[in-house]
Amino acid sequence: MALVQQSARSEVDGMEYWLNVAGLSSGFIGSVLIFFFGVPRQVDNEGATFIITDAVNLNERHRISRYRLLGNLGLGMLAFAFALQLIATTL
């Protein structure tokens, strides 16, 4: 009977371990993405005055959307990491 309980407990411990490893990995990758691409700003609060022209720089537009996407991905990975580690801790 003790062997069955120990076996079941070791499976849970293994799952806790791998959830924690997945959470740490996700958190690390998310923080690296945020470090390189920054947290996307939702509101421009610099107080700068912009001159609007009809010209659109497509390369700049593509770069901004890529930075915004990767920054949001980093934030999502950090949130996912916290959730995984919370689940691993409560098991």
Side-chain angles (χ1 to χ4, degrees):
M1 182 71 173
L3 182 61
V4 172
Q5 288 176 342
Q6 183 180 9
S7 176
R9 183 67 190 158
S10 67
E11 287 179 17
V12 171
D13 287 342
M15 186 170 60
E16 289 172 1
Y17 173 78
W18 288 111
L19 280 173
N20 199 17
V21 167
L24 289 172
S25 300
S26 176
F28 176 73
I29 293 169
S31 62
V32 167
L33 284 173
I34 289 175
F35 177 77
F36 284 112
F37 298 104
V39 177
R41 289 187 300 172
Q42 300 301 325
V43 177
D44 184 19
N45 56 3
E46 292 180 11
T49 303
F50 297 100
I51 298 173
I52 306 297
T53 63
D54 289 333
V56 175
N57 187 342
L58 294 178
N59 290 335
E60 187 69 16
R61 199 172 189 184
H62 178 68
R63 186 182 69 83
I64 290 171
S65 69
R66 183 182 52 184
Y67 269 62
R68 184 175 293 144
L69 173 72
L70 291 172
N72 284 328
L73 179 64
L75 286 174
M77 289 183 79
L78 278 179
F80 184 64
F82 282 122
L84 285 179
Q85 288 183 336
L86 181 65
I87 292 168
T89 302
T90 57
L91 286 180

